Every structure is written in C-alpha cells, then in structure tokens.
Amino acid sequence: MKFRVERDVLAEAVTWTARTLPNRPPAPVLAGVRIEATAEGVLNLATFDYEVSARSEIPAEVHEAGTVLVSGRLLAEISRALPNKPVDFSVDGSKVTVVCGASRFTLLTMPVEEYPSLPNMPELSGTIAGDVLTEAVNQVTVAASRDDTLPLLTGVRAEIEGEKITLLSTDRYRLALRELTWKPASPSISTVALIRARTLNDVAKSLGAAGDVNIALSNGPGVDLIGFEAGGRHTTSLLVDGDYPPVRRLFPDETPIHAVVARQPLIDAAKRVSLVAERNTPIRLNFSEGQVVLDAGQGDDAQASEALEAVLEGEEISVAFNPQFLLDGLNAIGTDFVRLSFTHPNKPVEFTGQESLDGEDSKVYRYLLVPIRFAN
C-alpha cells in the first residue's frame, strides 16, 4: 500500500474520523482507524466501536491500493503536527512509514483482519438544512440527561410525521421541545426514533456547516440505526432502546399568568445575581407590575439583587430556579424577548420566545423548567 495525500486534507479527515474513538476500547483493534486506499484514487478512513461508526472519503494519489489499521489517536496527533507539505504513506510488513518534508514517522500496524465490518448506511429518509439542524439540536440537547444510569433520558426523541420533525428531551427537571421541517424521501413517513444526545451534538458540530445533511433511519426488524451524511462524511449510531416517557402532556394547556422580558438583559442580570448563589441554591424572580426583581443569597451569606423592566399579565408571582437551568433555557431561545408562562408558583414554567414586547410568542421552541420551592 502506497499513497500521497495533502497534509491539511489528511489531518482534517483523520481528526474527524477518530473523534469518536473510545477511551477504553472493548478490543484493542477498536482504537484504530482503518485506511483503505483504492485504485480509483480515493482514501476511505473509518472507525467503529460497535455503537458509533464514522467514515470519511478524501482524494489521494494512490500508487498501490491496500488496507491498513493504525492507532487512530496517534495518527491524528501526528497528522496535525506535520509540516504543510504532501504526506507519503507506505506499508512494509507490519510497519507504516509516514514521510512529510524532513519529518519521518514509523507506526506499527494492527491486525486489520480482526476489525469488525462497519454497518451499512440505512436507506435515505430525508434531508435537512445543516444550520436548521444545528440550531434545533443545540436547543433540545441542553435538557437531555447526562446521567448514564438513566440511558433513556440521555436520548432525544424524534417524532417524524411527513415534513415535520418534533425533537423532545428531558432530564426530569426541564423539558425542551423543538419543531422543524425537512424534506422527507417519502411524504407519508411516520416514525419515532430515540437518538443519543451526544450523537446529535457531534453531528451538529461536525456536519452542520456542510450544507444539507442526509438522514437515514432503519426501523425494520433487527438493529435500529440512524445515519447522517454530508460532504463525503458518514456517521451511524445505534438508537436508544426503550419507551420514552409521555412528556408532551407536561406542557400546560392554559397559563393564566405570563410575563415578557427582554432576553439578553435577563441573561446578563441572571449571571450577575447568580454569582452569590452558592451550589444548589436558587435564583429568585419576583414579578410585579412593570418589573421583575432577581435576587439570590440570604441570611448572613452574600446577597445580590437586580430589577429589570417586564410586562406582567395576571397576578404577581415569585418563582425560584436553578441558575444554570435558567440560563440554559434563556440562551437556547433565539428571540429578543422571552415569555414566561405560569400556572402556579410551584408548577413548571414554560419559556417561549417572541420577537417584540407586545407580539405573539412562538411555540416552535418550548422550554419547561421545574421551579425550586423556597420559604417566603
């Protein structure tokens, strides 16, 4: 096996393909990146850990076709450190030689015959704009659980009905919902998938800027997979198995009280006030006619308060939130103003965005946050 490839192209492809390599691979060969050089002048790089696979295709001058398996992390570090010159790869027995300018590295190969077969991409289900996918993923994954002892809640539920996708996530303290449209391969598609939040985050970061992203779902008997493809890069992931809790019903049907506040000033004030909120202590929001007062700290501890303009409809109300959960929701809403809709001081509060102070709120993105009970 012998080929030449541009240094930047190689470094980017190896880094992207090796990004999902496990820290503790179940088998030594799974720490490798498989490189296949074809006679057509294409390099195929692949990684797989039985859960997530990644494949990248790049052009190369292939002098001798072949396949080799080398340490993925080591190759990624080497390729990023090489000088900006063409890189020559050659395989001799159990060793790979990498030459770039005056730099020369020799790597040991791994037994490529022991490497598992990569899963095939499922059939194309539809296409979505990369920027839309990235925004939606960032908005919903903030509410996904990071506790691996509750694997169901580490996923994002995708409900697909024709041209509409609804994404839902919860960690039991908050709930995020985002609706978006895509171009389905079949207008009658109707399915549900539970996708790992970390997979979606990775796809949004690594493929979202490449234009349209192809999404492929397998929902037949056997292994359930989801695949994403954009710009010559493919990634697949096993879907989370299990029945997601019926969280949609948690959104209130009616909210007799609501307040509207300018979003960025509220974020800035919450950050300042929360500086005195020690770990596990809440930040309080007291809504009255024309204003909201944020405060934190009590007794002999450090204290802070700040007042902002707010429009309140309904009776005065006070709520307390985990500061980080509050900021996560406010940052996820992309509009100039945020509406907080209340049913009761101890019941979950719905956050939605709106473009102007007296406009209508948008239900495209909804963030539901459970308040913290506090003594008056």
Side-chain angles (χ1 to χ4, degrees), residues 238-359:
L238 289 177
L239 295 174
V240 182
D241 190 28
D243 294 323
Y244 205 67
V247 292
R248 265 183 186 266
R249 66 184 186 189
L250 298 175
F251 286 103
D253 295 326
E254 292 182 351
T255 49
I257 308 168
H258 75 257
V260 180
V261 191
R263 186 180 67 94
Q264 194 57 52
L266 181 57
I267 290 173
D268 296 339
K271 284 180 179 176
R272 285 190 287 267
V273 170
S274 65
L275 292 174
V276 302
E278 295 183 12
R279 195 177 175 192
N280 297 327
T281 61
I283 179 171
R284 295 179 293 274
L285 282 72
N286 303 295
F287 290 91
S288 57
E289 183 60 40
Q291 71 170 9
V292 56
V293 177
L294 294 80
D295 70 89
Q298 56 188 356
D300 296 330
D301 298 330
Q303 298 177 43
S305 69
E306 185 164 341
L308 295 174
E309 285 186 30
V311 172
L312 176 67
E313 287 194 16
E315 61 188 48
E316 295 184 359
I317 192 166
S318 297
V319 289
F321 297 117
N322 173 303
Q324 191 55 55
F325 289 1
L326 172 64
L327 287 168
D328 285 345
L330 294 174
N331 283 314
I333 293 170
T335 52
D336 289 341
F337 293 86
V338 58
R339 177 184 295 220
L340 289 77
S341 301
F342 309 90
T343 55
H344 183 274
N346 293 330
K347 293 285 179 67
V349 180
E350 183 179 354
F351 291 69
T352 49
Q354 60 187 63
E355 298 295 342
S356 61
L357 191 61
D358 54 0

Side-chain angles (χ1 to χ4, degrees), residues 191-213:
T191 188
V192 172
L194 192 52
I195 311 159
R196 287 175 173 83
R198 66 174 181 269
T199 297
L200 279 176
N201 271 322
D202 179 62
V203 166
K205 286 177 185 172
S206 62
L207 299 182
D212 286 349
V213 177

Side-chain angles (χ1 to χ4, degrees), residues 172-219:
R172 297 180 300 167
Y173 305 104
R174 55 222 174 125
L175 166 61
L177 178 152
R178 169 66 198 262
E179 294 178 346
L180 57 155
T181 56
W182 73 326
K183 298 173 186 171
S186 166
S188 61
I189 187 170
S190 176
T191 188
V192 172
L194 192 52
I195 311 159
R196 287 175 173 83
R198 66 174 181 269
T199 297
L200 279 176
N201 271 322
D202 179 62
V203 166
K205 286 177 185 172
S206 62
L207 299 182
D212 286 349
V213 177
N214 292 328
I215 300 176
L217 272 165
S218 74
N219 268 330

Side-chain angles (χ1 to χ4, degrees), residues 220-243:
V223 177
D224 279 344
L225 268 183
I226 188 166
F228 300 90
E229 184 274 323
R233 293 174 175 178
H234 308 71
T235 188
T236 66
S237 174
L238 289 177
L239 295 174
V240 182
D241 190 28
D243 294 323

